[in-house]
Amino acid sequence: MKVVILSAGQGRRLLPLTAETPKCLIPFSGRSLLEWQVRALVAAGVDDVTVVTGFEAEKVEAALAEISLPGATLRTTHNPFYELADNLASCWIARHRMIGEFLILNGDTLIEPGIVRRVLESPATAPITVTIDRKADYDTDDMKVREEGGRLLAIGKTLPNDLVTGESIGFLRFTDEGGATFVSEIERLMRSEEGLKRWYLSAIDGIARYKGGVGVRSIEGLEWGELDFPADVDHAVELTGRWVERGL
């Protein structure tokens, strides 16, 4: 199983913490965010990891080279447009890795290995699967989803709260068919005037609304975290501290 980790961004909302350090290299409980991600993925059976770099790419490449995981291939591919573009462009840069079955993980999402196992051990009932969690309330920055009977109907930050049934954690699974559909859609969007400013999940939203074939998988009960704002740093320290105690 392959994974593409989207780690090109600087993380400006975390300045000055990210003034010279990419968000993916912020340390938590003895490991960088990136190392926590890679180890969780490999522990669950993923053996081919591609990290999309951008800001301070050399530092990310050096950090990845220091992670020793026998049997796993760790590589990078560079997004030279990271300062101008959103993460749709990172997917476009990495589309050569999106052949056959693969996963996409946001570069700012911490996940425990159990999340990866749940996604991989479940039968792929749709060409594209969006991993979701649920909670009582959703804020304006949550990547909200509307789903019904395991089928994704819409995804986006601006969905009306009365339609929201969960939030995307930034972890997706693609079959061969789903990957081909996704790559075709990102290539179409990148030819549009607004392509550089689009999130890759806007491509998923378009596929779900107009083509179908997008499902959801709940990871309720398992631990994850997103690193966007200064307050998220404390939560990540607490989260990874628990994982250290559990021997993850």
Side-chain angles (χ1 to χ4, degrees), residues 11 14 24 31 74 97 144 153-154 162 174 177 196 202 208 221:
L14 291 169
C24 68
R31 296 176 183 168
L74 312 180
R97 301 300 307 159
K144 296 175 278 290
L153 302 178
D162 60 341
F174 297 81
E177 176 190 352
L196 287 179
S202 67

Side-chain angles (χ1 to χ4, degrees), residues 57-122:
E58 295 81 5
K59 292 181 180 179
V60 179
E61 291 164 0
L64 195 66
E66 292 179 359
I67 301 174
S68 177
L69 292 169
T73 300
L74 312 180
R75 60 167 66 84
T76 63
T77 189
H78 185 61
N79 176 6
F81 314 114
Y82 71 92
E83 286 190 291
L84 305 172
D86 217 306
N87 57 24
L88 179 72
S90 285
C91 288
W92 183 80
I93 290 290
R95 67 194 187 283
H96 63 288
R97 301 300 307 159
M98 299 178 183
I99 299 171
E101 285 193 290
F102 65 93
L103 308 165
I104 288 179
L105 176 62
N106 287 2
D108 57 5
T109 300
L110 277 164
I111 54 173
E112 63 168 298
I115 289 177
V116 189
R117 292 192 188 98
R118 182 174 291 185
V119 171
L120 293 182
E121 290 172 359
S122 305

Side-chain angles (χ1 to χ4, degrees), residues 87-235:
N87 57 24
L88 179 72
S90 285
C91 288
W92 183 80
I93 290 290
R95 67 194 187 283
H96 63 288
R97 301 300 307 159
M98 299 178 183
I99 299 171
E101 285 193 290
F102 65 93
L103 308 165
I104 288 179
L105 176 62
N106 287 2
D108 57 5
T109 300
L110 277 164
I111 54 173
E112 63 168 298
I115 289 177
V116 189
R117 292 192 188 98
R118 182 174 291 185
V119 171
L120 293 182
E121 290 172 359
S122 305
T125 57
I128 301 172
T129 302
V130 176
T131 308
I132 67 168
D133 200 2
R134 306 181 200 276
K135 58 186 181 182
D137 299 298
Y138 301 91
D139 60 42
T140 56
D141 200 61
D142 289 334
M143 186 58 71
K144 296 175 278 290
V145 303
R146 181 186 181 195
E147 61 88 19
E148 184 177 286
R151 181 169 66 94
L152 184 75
L153 302 178
I155 182 169
K157 291 188 176 184
T158 60
L159 285 180
N161 279 348
D162 60 341
L163 299 179
V164 175
T165 56
E167 67 173 317
S168 166
I169 74 166
F171 186 43
L172 288 78
R173 178 181 179 179
F174 297 81
T175 66
D176 189 17
E177 176 190 352
T181 299
F182 178 64
V183 169
S184 176
E185 182 65 5
I186 62 177
E187 288 180 335
R188 185 187 72 82
L189 290 173
M190 284 296 289
R191 288 192 292 269
S192 67
E193 289 185 6
E194 72 278 10
L196 287 179
K197 301 300 182 183
R198 299 286 290 267
W199 293 324
Y200 79 93
L201 286 174
S202 67
I204 299 297
D205 180 65
I207 294 169
R209 288 175 184 266
Y210 304 114
K211 297 181 180 179
V214 183
V216 300
R217 182 70 173 100
S218 172
I219 52 84
E220 290 172 87
L222 298 175
E223 293 187 316
W224 68 284
E226 191 173 30
L227 190 65
D228 281 323
F229 302 101
D232 297 331
V233 175
D234 293 336
H235 176 251

